[in-house]
Amino acid sequence: MALARVLVSILTRGLEAGDSTTRSAGAMLEHVLPFLLSPSGLESPAQDIQSFSLSALLQIIKKSNKSVLRPFVPDLVRRLILLLSSLEPEGIEYIRLRAEQYGVTGQQIDDARLSGVRGSPMLEAIERCLDFLDEMSMQELRRPLEDAITTGLGLPSRVGGSRVLVSLSTRHNSLFRPHANHFLRLARKQVLDRNETISASYAAACGYLARLTSDEEILKLVEHCRKLYFDSDDERHRVVAGEMVFSISKYATDRFGALAADILPFVFLAKQDAYEGARTLFQNTWNETVGGSRTVLLYMQEIVQLAKQYLESPRWSLKHTAAFTVAEAIDSTGGEISDATARVVWPVLEKAVDGKTWEGKERILRAFVKFSHARNTITQDETIRARIEKIILRESKRNNAAYRQHALSCLAEYVELPDSRDLFTDIYGITAPIIEDLLSETDVMDHDMQSGDHLSRTMYELHPPLDVKSETQSCSWHANQWHRKEETLASAQSAMLRSINPQGQANEELNSSLSRALALTVRTLSENGNRNVHNAIYEAEKSLFEKLAKGSSRQPFSEALVAVLIEYVKTLSKSQDQVEQTRIKAAEAAAALAPLSEKSEHLRAALIVWISSAKTQERSVPVQQVLDRARQAIIPNK
């Protein structure tokens, strides 16, 4: 050991002084380097021999000039990469396998190992060896480096191989460029490693390699990502695809931009993924490379065609992702959909909204309604308009409780279209039974709560919780059911009231429609005190009364309608127990009704009484101002 120290000391001093000829120094290294890398050196089981050999090797690399060390670089790089794992403490892998016993995760341990590799003196030695490369030695390095990447065992060696590829791509790009295509294909295979840290390291290396590779090779990489994403049921494969695409966008931005038309439609679809791990990566890629939502219009046809392809997929996850893609594409247009875009989108959108309900389908339906609001030759076509109405009504009849509240909300939004035909009869047939059922259930729930049985046996029989494990979970489940019912009731009421089109009905028919709708509304206001329900009703009534005033004829209201309207005015007193926002909405509805009071003296008198009473009790200035406006509409000179 002492002799070895002396010989190595002599060699390193000679290399440092530069007084040895290249031939003599090379001859010495031919004997010393194999010894240091042998089982008698770095591979020795003795810790002190390992330490000495490593120190000596690093000193030789540090002191040598390029002409002396260059012939040994290819083999040195290979051996040093493999030694990264060999010299790692043996207990690390044991601890990683039993990480939970030590209060940490396997990923945390891998992150620490990765930091150790990045700060390793051996990696610095590898970097110095790479600095000595020329075209010939670069060619010679190709096979040893490939061998180290494919045969290396353990995280340090695997990550070390990816770091070498990154260094060659950034610091030695002119030498490495002819070999970049080959190593990109090699790195692409390593990304599928079961260890997430290794996989992420090679995904990043793919991004750096993309700087130097041909367009054809980048497109092959993207196609590989697409196959991983679309052809595998493994969520991890979708994450890997996202990591590679994100790395290209981050580390080879110019190359990504040049091929954006081939990549972005896939990215746009994949960022709708239901799995958050994959969705976040593709969302980050989109954010890194796209200036704004209007960019979608540039690739609309490609995006829609890709979504159309996977709407036919037998895998529900892909089918749903494709449907979300169509919805997001429509949302990104800002409601301005040209004729050309509408022709592309319509058949795919119709396919996306078809079929049974599933979690998240309401997002597709909302996009469907937004599409119907756009002004273009497609949505104005009578045949297509009839199909849109049929689909909207069909979806509103769905029995899925979670979906129905959203479907009814979309129905209410659709019937607000200025040129929509009168759909009251159809919509009343859908919403009236729902409202009556919900009011009946509300009565049962109110009775149960008043009797102290918060989680009544009746509710358990009607809606048994499937996985309730504690009283807290039971209360949460009950609250969710209650909230869903209230939202459904609010949406049903809004759709029913907004569906009345004064321009599309004769006077007798209009009186009948108003009487039926308002009678049910009065019952809802009387029996349900939920703020959201009242807000929805008052907003819909304001819209309805404004439409009636705008298209009002000289013909008076029927006696039955006047009676219902008077009952409605009386229920407005219930709004005084509500918050200020609800009281404002109730007053605005009354102000919208005021111009119609000229059709009935009894209605006029009832309104005056309510306004006077409400103003006497009201302390809020904004509410008082609305009430004054309502009174002014009834008695202009007051």
Side-chain angles (χ1 to χ4, degrees):
M1 185 72 171
L3 177 61
R5 291 182 185 277
V6 171
L7 293 175
V8 169
S9 178
I10 293 172
L11 174 59
T12 53
R13 282 200 302 271
L15 292 171
E16 184 176 14
D19 56 0
S20 301
T21 64
T22 302
R23 179 176 298 178
S24 61
M28 287 188 287
L29 290 178
E30 284 181 357
H31 291 86
V32 173
L33 290 178
F35 170 75
L36 293 176
L37 296 170
S38 70
S40 300
L42 281 169
E43 296 181 6
S44 171
Q47 186 66 39
D48 57 339
I49 295 177
Q50 276 190 8
S51 299
F52 163 74
S53 300
L54 177 59
S55 176
L57 181 61
L58 296 178
Q59 284 295 315
I60 290 172
I61 294 174
K62 183 177 180 180
K63 305 299 183 182
S64 298
N65 58 49
K66 60 182 179 180
S67 58
V68 173
L69 196 63
R70 183 178 290 152
F72 304 96
V73 164
D75 187 58
L76 267 177
V77 170
R78 180 183 71 84
R79 297 295 294 273
L80 288 172
I81 291 174
L82 297 176
L83 283 169
L84 285 169
S85 289
S86 300
L87 298 180
E88 185 180 46
E90 295 179 358
I92 292 293
E93 196 62 38
Y94 175 87
I95 293 174
R96 187 189 184 282
L97 293 174
R98 294 162 178 79
E100 294 182 1
Q101 299 178 12
Y102 298 94
V104 294
T105 64
Q107 188 58 50
Q108 289 175 321
I109 294 176
D110 283 347
D111 290 342
R113 296 167 79 187
L114 179 61
S115 298
V117 171
R118 289 173 175 171
S120 169
M122 292 182 67
L123 198 60
E124 293 181 11
I126 293 173
E127 293 283 359
R128 180 164 174 78
C129 289
L130 297 178
D131 290 339
F132 295 155
L133 289 171
D134 59 9
E135 291 186 8
M136 182 176 295
S137 54
M138 181 69 244
Q139 180 66 37
E140 294 172 355
L141 176 63
R142 175 168 167 164
R143 183 60 63 83
L145 178 57
E146 180 179 348
D147 180 65
I149 290 172
T150 55
T151 63
L153 299 175
L155 183 143
S157 292
R158 302 282 284 153
V159 170
S162 71
R163 298 297 300 173
V164 170
L165 293 178
V166 171
S167 181
L168 288 170
S169 300
T170 54
R171 300 176 61 228
H172 311 282
N173 48 43
S174 59
L175 288 174
F176 190 57
R177 189 180 299 276
H179 311 280
N181 285 354
H182 172 75
F183 280 102
L184 179 59
R185 292 191 292 270
L186 183 64
R188 192 172 73 194
K189 298 176 182 177
Q190 312 310 312
V191 173
L192 293 177
D193 194 282
R194 288 179 297 176
N195 185 286
E196 293 183 6
T197 301
I198 296 172
S199 176
S201 296
Y202 277 100
C206 287
Y208 283 103
L209 286 163
R211 296 178 176 183
L212 309 178
T213 56
S214 63
D215 289 350
E216 181 183 0
E217 202 61 43
I218 294 176
L219 291 177
K220 287 181 180 179
L221 175 62
V222 174
E223 184 59 31
H224 176 68
C225 294
R226 288 170 60 120
K227 287 182 178 179
L228 283 177
Y229 186 89
F230 291 120
D231 296 348
S232 174
D233 292 327
D234 191 346
E235 290 179 344
R236 176 61 193 156
H237 284 181
R238 302 208 299 276
V239 172
V240 166
E243 287 176 338
M244 283 193 283
V245 174
F246 177 67
S247 294
I248 299 172
S249 70
K250 185 175 182 180
Y251 303 120
T253 307
D254 293 343
R255 305 302 303 280
F256 187 99
L259 301 171
D262 298 289
I263 306 174
L264 284 180
F266 165 54
V267 173
F268 187 85
L269 181 144
K271 77 186 184 79
Q272 317 302 325
D273 198 291
Y275 180 55
E276 184 178 2
R279 181 176 67 250
T280 300
L281 286 165
F282 285 105
Q283 182 66 61
N284 291 341
T285 302
W286 183 265
N287 294 341
E288 287 278 343
T289 54
V290 172
S293 60
R294 304 289 290 178
T295 307
V296 176
L297 295 175
L298 296 174
Y299 309 105
M300 180 64 78
Q301 184 164 354
E302 293 83 356
I303 289 170
V304 171
Q305 290 304 315
L306 185 63
K308 179 182 178 181
Q309 178 181 350
Y310 290 100
L311 279 173
E312 304 292 341
S313 172
R315 287 167 48 199
W316 281 106
S317 59
L318 276 182
K319 189 189 291 287
H320 295 169
T321 299
F324 288 142
T325 300
V326 180
E328 180 71 12
I330 293 171
D331 290 341
S332 300
T333 63
E336 298 177 8
I337 304 175
S338 65
D339 290 351
T341 301
R343 278 192 292 271
V344 172
V345 170
W346 165 246
V348 184
L349 177 59
E350 186 179 21
K351 177 67 177 177
V353 81
D354 196 16
K356 63 182 182 180
T357 58
W358 41 273
E359 186 177 355
K361 187 183 177 183
E362 62 273 8
R363 182 177 164 191
I364 319 302
L365 188 58
R366 292 195 184 281
F368 188 86
V369 173
K370 179 176 285 189
F371 178 86
S372 69
H373 279 240
R375 295 288 180 176
N376 53 64
T377 56
I378 300 297
T379 57
Q380 300 305 308
D381 181 88
E382 289 298 327
T383 303
I384 293 179
R385 174 62 66 182
R387 287 160 64 185
I388 290 175
E389 288 181 0
K390 181 179 179 181
I391 291 171
I392 293 288
L393 293 173
R394 180 194 71 200
E395 295 301 311
S396 302
K397 296 176 184 177
R398 301 287 188 185
N399 293 323
N400 183 291
Y403 177 74
R404 185 170 59 181
Q405 60 176 321
H406 301 289
L408 292 171
S409 175
C410 291
L411 178 63
E413 184 180 349
Y414 174 75
V415 295
E416 283 288 278
L417 280 173
D419 56 350
S420 63
R421 69 182 184 88
D422 184 76
L423 296 173
F424 175 76
T425 302
D426 295 318
I427 293 177
Y428 185 83
I430 296 171
T431 57
I434 294 174
I435 294 170
E436 290 171 354
D437 288 345
L438 290 173
L439 290 176
S440 299
E441 288 187 21
T442 301
D443 290 340
V444 173
M445 294 168 75
D446 286 341
H447 173 75
D448 291 335
M449 291 203 304
Q450 290 170 6
S451 65
D453 186 9
H454 187 62
L455 291 173
S456 67
R457 181 174 300 176
T458 303
M459 289 306 301
Y460 268 106
E461 292 173 353
L462 291 173
H463 304 285
L466 300 178
D467 55 350
V468 176
K469 297 180 181 179
S470 67
E471 184 68 16
T472 302
Q473 290 174 319
S474 298
C475 292
S476 175
W477 173 85
H478 184 73
N480 289 336
Q481 295 297 313
W482 181 277
H483 176 74
R484 179 181 295 167
K485 287 178 172 59
E486 299 296 348
E487 290 299 315
T488 304
L489 180 58
S491 297
Q493 275 286 169
S494 180
M496 179 183 67
L497 291 169
R498 294 176 189 274
S499 66
I500 300 175
N501 185 355
Q503 304 298 326
Q505 297 188 22
N507 188 63
E508 183 178 347
E509 183 184 2
L510 178 60
N511 275 265
S512 174
S513 299
L514 289 169
S515 298
R516 287 189 291 165
L518 289 172
L520 192 52
T521 300
V522 167
R523 180 185 168 191
T524 302
L525 289 171
S526 301
E527 298 180 10
N528 187 289
N530 182 269
R531 182 199 314 166
N532 293 332
V533 174
H534 282 228
N535 286 346
I537 288 175
Y538 294 141
E539 288 174 358
E541 284 173 337
K542 178 187 175 185
S543 175
L544 172 60
F545 295 150
E546 287 175 347
K547 286 190 291 185
L548 286 170
K550 187 180 297 184
S552 179
S553 65
R554 295 291 181 181
Q555 296 180 340
F557 287 150
S558 66
E559 292 183 4
L561 176 56
V562 171
V564 172
L565 284 170
I566 292 174
E567 286 300 314
Y568 163 72
V569 172
K570 291 178 181 179
T571 61
L572 289 176
S573 59
K574 289 184 172 292
S575 67
Q576 300 307 307
D577 299 328
Q578 296 283 358
V579 297
E580 181 181 358
Q581 180 191 34
T582 304
R583 299 201 306 275
I584 289 177
K585 292 182 182 297
E588 288 175 341
L593 176 60
L596 299 173
S597 63
E598 65 180 17
K599 292 177 176 289
S600 169
E601 283 297 325
H602 296 293
L603 174 60
R604 182 172 177 272
L607 267 173
I608 292 173
V609 170
W610 177 80
I611 292 171
S612 300
S613 173
K615 189 173 180 182
T616 301
Q617 302 176 42
E618 186 58 60
R619 295 183 179 181
S620 170
V621 174
V623 179
Q624 289 180 353
Q625 290 173 344
V626 178
L627 292 172
D628 287 338
R629 194 170 72 242
R631 185 176 180 83
Q632 187 69 22
I634 300 174
I635 312 175
N637 59 334
K638 295 292 184 180

